[in-house]
Amino acid sequence: MTAADPQSESEPESAVETARHQLERAAAHLDVDEGIVERLRHPTSVHRVTVPLERDDGSREMFTGYRAHHDSVRGPYKGGLRYHPEVSEEECVGLSMWMTWKCAVMDLPFGGGKGGIIVNPKELSSDEKERLTRRFAEELRPVIGPMTDIPAPDMGTDPQTMAWFMDAYSMQQGETTPGVVTGKPPIVGGSYGREEAPGRSVGIITREAMEYYDWDVEETTVAVQGFGSVGANAARYLDDLGASVVAVSDVDGAIYDPDGLDTTDVEDHDESPGMVSGYDAPETLTNEELLELDVDVLVPAAIGNVLTGENARDVEADMIVEGANGPTTTTAERIFEERGIPVIPDIIANAGGVTVSYFEWLQDINRRAWTLERVNDELESEMRTAWEDVRTEYDDRDVTWRDATYIVALERIASAHETRGLWP
């Protein structure tokens, strides 16, 4: 697609298209063997399964599930499982690629995986969701394991889903295997702080970026699209730092107060659907209008492809920090680059989730739980180290923040491929 193409600015691009474009931009700045780059354009494998479900009324229904494995040169595959009507093979492949880069940026010993079921979880009872999850675990059992592929929660799934998944896998293995998934409740091997971690890391990276640009946090205004797990925790972290969070939203709309919202008083959309947009605020907006507010920091933390060629020129934020996966299209990225608006990419900003998943995996292997204080301290340290690695590339090269982040990731992945070689 080119800027001259009239459809290019309005048509959404797939996660695979975006991920491949970002890979090639990073590769252009490095002396990487073209064979390795070509290998990274494609997944190692994609598993498609049929998941039968007995509904509460006794009828049976078939659902399609996927698990994409992108690259495991640095360790087991790692990535979420989502239950959503728009899950597709292509989406899983693209998201698994992002997980590869994300793990490499954070220097975690994992590769990228992603999966899900084509289903609307809101149309399932709790019992139906449990049966679907347990059967999905059984269908995927040949390709998952604590040293092979470690799923985690994503859209439409949660800690309880992971507990069911782990239990189903363990029953077939004949032993409790908590390390097969992360994001579980702490009572069955989950880590304290895991659910809050992606939003917390968005807050940490936003803080680091504000320090880089020498912004006074107490003079900084923030708008957050999506007040779910990621957005709510990011907003509350930044609010606690002293920033003024002036707008937040859920799927039904946005609330806006130029004097700043009390983020602890606004209910999390995951807890109470509709309560964000129904909150008593001076002004209500649409989600689209929130993206165009005149604020210092915009955090798109809802879904992908919300910043496009159609609205990128109307965005008035001075900086964008991606909380969601893939909220910015390639066309929008190019426009922001032309306009001098820095975009801090998702693969570092929301990487707190996979980082604390790594901590959880370590705790499960060693059968020793960490305190919340230790988890948060370790997360702080890992995020600051990753930020410094990316900042060094950004300062040393004439590139965007996204390019700098991908350069860090690709350099590590390519070096691992070179060192291990190709067998046979």
Side-chain angles (χ1 to χ4, degrees):
M1 296 189 301
T2 66
D5 179 357
Q7 293 185 318
S8 66
E9 294 196 354
S10 59
E11 286 186 349
E13 60 188 357
S14 71
V16 172
E17 291 171 332
T18 305
R20 285 177 178 157
H21 180 268
Q22 292 163 347
L23 166 65
E24 284 161 20
R25 279 192 58 141
H29 295 280
L30 295 170
D31 183 20
V32 178
D33 185 281
E34 174 56 30
I36 293 174
V37 176
E38 180 61 24
R39 165 67 191 84
L40 294 172
R41 290 189 183 105
H42 307 280
T44 298
S45 59
V46 182
H47 306 274
R48 180 181 184 274
V49 297
T50 299
V51 188
L53 170 67
E54 183 174 322
R55 306 301 295 250
D56 289 341
D57 64 6
S59 63
R60 292 188 180 181
E61 192 169 347
M62 302 297 168
F63 294 90
T64 299
Y66 299 98
R67 188 65 179 172
H69 291 161
H70 177 243
D71 187 81
S72 63
V73 71
R74 290 169 49 87
Y77 300 106
K78 187 81 189 75
L81 289 176
R82 56 179 50 184
Y83 292 175
H84 194 274
E86 295 181 11
V87 166
S88 67
E89 179 175 330
E90 188 172 44
E91 178 193 58
C92 291
V93 169
L95 293 173
S96 72
M97 293 173 73
W98 279 330
M99 284 302 301
T100 299
W101 320 139
K102 190 177 294 188
C103 292
V105 166
M106 296 307 301
D107 207 12
L108 304 176
F110 292 137
K114 206 75 172 188
I117 299 176
I118 305 171
V119 62
N120 183 350
K122 296 177 182 178
E123 296 177 355
L124 299 174
S125 70
S126 178
D127 287 345
E128 288 172 337
K129 188 174 182 180
E130 178 177 355
R131 290 195 293 272
L132 186 71
T133 299
R134 289 181 179 278
R135 184 58 185 251
F136 192 32
E138 175 60 17
E139 297 296 339
L140 291 183
R141 194 161 62 90
V143 298
I144 60 171
M147 299 298 169
T148 309
D149 176 15
I150 308 139
D154 203 299
M155 291 171 59
T157 58
D158 56 21
Q160 180 60 69
T161 316
M162 294 301 105
W164 291 328
F165 196 101
M166 183 271 285
D167 183 68
Y169 180 88
S170 296
M171 290 301 98
Q172 294 290 62
Q173 292 296 109
E175 61 181 16
T176 299
T177 314
V180 69
V181 293
T182 58
K184 306 176 296 295
I187 194 66
V188 290
S191 176
Y192 294 110
R194 168 59 181 83
E195 200 163 1
E196 300 82 14
R200 188 175 183 85
S201 69
V202 170
I204 292 169
I205 293 300
T206 303
R207 182 199 68 204
E208 294 298 307
M210 288 191 292
E211 288 181 9
Y212 179 85
Y213 288 108
D214 200 25
W215 291 2
D216 183 344
V217 65
E218 295 188 354
E219 298 295 322
T220 302
T221 56
V222 181
V224 179
Q225 187 198 45
F227 205 68
S229 177
V230 177
N233 284 294
R236 289 166 182 158
Y237 183 95
L238 294 170
D239 194 1
D240 289 344
L241 280 181
S244 180
V245 180
V246 299
V248 298
S249 72
D250 62 17
V251 68
D252 298 315
I255 54 175
Y256 173 62
D257 185 344
D259 295 325
L261 297 161
D262 180 357
T263 58
T264 60
D265 195 36
V266 179
E267 296 195 53
D268 189 318
H269 178 71
D270 285 353
E271 297 166 3
S272 304
M275 288 304 293
V276 175
S277 49
Y279 180 82
D280 184 18
E283 192 173 344
T284 59
L285 307 168
T286 65
N287 269 284
E288 292 72 25
E289 289 169 333
L290 179 146
L291 295 172
E292 298 172 8
L293 284 173
D294 185 4
V295 292
D296 298 309
V297 180
L298 172 63
V299 180
I303 57 174
N305 285 336
V306 296
L307 296 172
T308 68
E310 276 193 327
N311 63 6
R313 293 182 180 85
D314 297 318
V315 170
E316 295 191 49
D318 295 316
M319 178 167 64
I320 297 164
V321 181
E322 296 182 334
N325 290 321
T328 310
T329 67
T330 302
T331 302
E333 180 92 17
R334 184 169 62 245
I335 293 169
F336 293 141
E337 186 176 356
E338 291 168 357
R339 296 181 60 199
I341 299 174
V343 179
I344 313 300
D346 48 3
I347 65 167
I348 184 170
N350 67 22
V354 71
T355 302
V356 177
S357 278
Y358 171 56
F359 300 161
E360 181 176 331
W361 184 69
L362 291 176
Q363 293 169 69
D364 289 337
I365 290 172
N366 291 293
R367 295 295 202 271
R368 188 173 183 86
W370 297 3
T371 63
L372 177 60
E373 181 181 17
R374 179 180 177 184
V375 169
N376 286 340
D377 286 348
E378 295 273 2
L379 176 61
E380 170 81 18
S381 176
E382 294 290 337
M383 296 309 303
R384 287 175 65 93
T385 298
W387 172 259
E388 288 303 309
D389 292 340
V390 171
R391 183 194 57 75
T392 298
E393 293 293 343
Y394 181 80
D395 286 341
D396 289 349
R397 303 172 185 265
D398 184 22
V399 294
T400 65
W401 284 105
R402 191 182 309 279
D403 287 341
T405 308
Y406 274 76
I407 286 167
V408 171
L410 181 57
E411 206 159 27
R412 288 172 177 163
I413 297 164
S415 178
H417 274 284
E418 289 280 6
T419 302
R420 288 186 59 168
L422 183 64
W423 186 88

